Amino acid sequence: MRISKHWILALTMTILPLLVAFNSGTVAAQEGPISAINNPNPGAELWQAVRGRLDTPATTQVKGHDSAVLVNQQGDQWTAVRNKELLPKGGDLLIVVLLIIGAVYAMRGPVTLHAGASGKEIDRHSVNARFVHWFLAGIFIALALSGLILLFGRPLLIPLFGKAAFGTLAYGAKNVHNFVGPLFPVAIFLLFFNMVSKNLYEKGDLKWFAQGGGMFGKSHASAGKFNPGEKILFWLTIFLGIVVSVTGYVLDFPAIASWIVATFPEFTQYRHVMELSHVIHTIIAVLFIALVFGHIFLAVFFVPGTLQGMVTGKVDENWAKEHHDRWYAEMKGSAKGDA
Ligand code: HEM
Ligand code: HEM
């Protein structure tokens, strides 16, 4: 009997606090979240300000570009576009272009001269023209290689050479790109003035397209000094060259981006200008590289005898007759163009 009294007392002492706690919890649950959670997070507004989500723009006494921007939201979007869109799609495009070139070469083979080489040569490209071309080509190749290392290096080269070696390579590529880049518009300028007169529309150019440039079948496509395909290469080089140069200068010299922000208020941060420039730069650069793949293939492998003209300045007369008959006729002083 005595024992059971003790048990009842012990049981009451245990259950009572539990009941009280449970009861107050239920009441609190009925009234809303418990008081600690109910308190607004004192840091919430701070973090909204840090992320730039408040209506009132952040202010700071620190002087410098975007110093009031602590977290650049758009930067995340830009990183995603670069890594998830530009990188895989750029890589796919270059691979597809190389496959098409390989397939065309395998199906059609090199365009050899019907009459064979004549052994007689004719002047094709002046020293100036060759200098301008190789100046442009040298700069382009340096920029394309260094740019491709920067773009695809991480996924492609780190597994091959390791991080340390890639770090050194990427550092070199970045410096080559940053310092050689500013010369590119000079090359574009020289190319334009050196070759524009030979790259304007001439009668007969449309017919050349209709004949597929003489690439398929046996029909010969009549052409002047440069055929319409080359003229397209010329004009694309000028236009794509201007776009990569302008966007490249913005990336190389951030002062240009701050000038754009000061002039065009719709750009709120100079980093937005740089992100936009980077995306345009990379898209155009990859298209440009694909175009040049095609050009090098045609000049070196597909139409034998063409490269020689850009190296020595002279081409075989039969090459001139078969590929650029109107120009050959002009050179030989015939107005008819039926040489
Ligand atoms: C034909 C010409 C050019 C090609 C093919 C080219 C290609 C590229 C490529 C593929 C990238 C890499 C983008 C990335 O890693 O996300 C890049 C970045 C860049 N390019 Fe060019 N570019 C060319 C011209 C120029 C010019 C003319 C300039 C400067 C005047 C320039 C300056 C830059 C800069 C500063 C970067 C950013 C490098 C970095 O910090 O990652 N580029 N370019
Ligand atoms: C290894 C690289 C290159 C080789 C072997 C090469 C070869 C040639 C050759 C042989 C010609 C003369 C074609 C003819 O006589 O009809 C030529 C012309 C030309 N090349 Fe290149 N080239 C190279 C790189 C480049 C690059 C990188 C560009 C542009 C960025 C370029 C743009 C041009 C232009 C615009 C012409 C003149 C076409 C015209 O004015 O209609 N080349 N190239």
Side-chain angles (χ1 to χ4, degrees), residues 78 82 86-87 139-140 143-152 174 177-178 180-185 240-241 244-253 278 281-282 284-286 288-289:
W78 165 76
R82 180 189 182 275
L86 300 180
L87 219 141
I139 292 178
F140 184 94
L143 290 173
L145 283 179
S146 54
L148 290 177
I149 289 172
L150 292 173
L151 188 60
F152 299 112
K174 184 161 168 44
H177 208 87
N178 283 357
V180 175
L183 283 178
F184 193 65
L240 300 184
V244 283
S245 300
V246 171
T247 50
Y249 262 82
V250 172
L251 292 170
D252 237 348
F253 304 102
H278 173 275
H281 187 83
T282 309
I284 298 298
V286 170
F288 208 169
I289 293 170

Side-chain angles (χ1 to χ4, degrees), residues 114-155:
H114 298 302
S118 69
K120 281 185 274 168
E121 287 186 328
I122 180 172
D123 286 334
R124 178 144 174 90
H125 298 294
S126 67
V127 176
N128 279 352
R130 279 179 282 150
F131 171 78
V132 168
H133 177 268
W134 291 119
F135 180 62
L136 171 81
I139 292 178
F140 184 94
I141 290 168
L143 290 173
L145 283 179
S146 54
L148 290 177
I149 289 172
L150 292 173
L151 188 60
F152 299 112
R154 276 178 160 271

Side-chain angles (χ1 to χ4, degrees), residues 111-226:
V111 183
T112 46
L113 297 175
H114 298 302
S118 69
K120 281 185 274 168
E121 287 186 328
I122 180 172
D123 286 334
R124 178 144 174 90
H125 298 294
S126 67
V127 176
N128 279 352
R130 279 179 282 150
F131 171 78
V132 168
H133 177 268
W134 291 119
F135 180 62
L136 171 81
I139 292 178
F140 184 94
I141 290 168
L143 290 173
L145 283 179
S146 54
L148 290 177
I149 289 172
L150 292 173
L151 188 60
F152 299 112
R154 276 178 160 271
L156 288 188
L157 302 181
I158 290 180
L160 290 179
F161 307 125
K163 282 189 179 171
F166 174 70
T168 313
L169 185 68
Y171 178 74
K174 184 161 168 44
N175 278 324
V176 166
H177 208 87
N178 283 357
F179 287 101
V180 175
L183 283 178
F184 193 65
V186 178
I188 293 292
F189 180 84
L190 293 178
L191 177 80
F192 181 80
F193 286 105
N194 193 277
M195 296 196 183
V196 66
S197 62
K198 301 286 176 214
N199 282 288
L200 302 173
Y201 175 78
E202 288 167 88
K203 206 171 148 232
D205 280 355
L206 282 178
K207 201 169 161 208
W208 185 92
F209 278 118
Q211 291 174 319
M215 234 169 99
F216 304 100
K218 295 224 182 297
S219 75
H220 173 75
S222 171
K225 168 129 191 197
F226 291 117

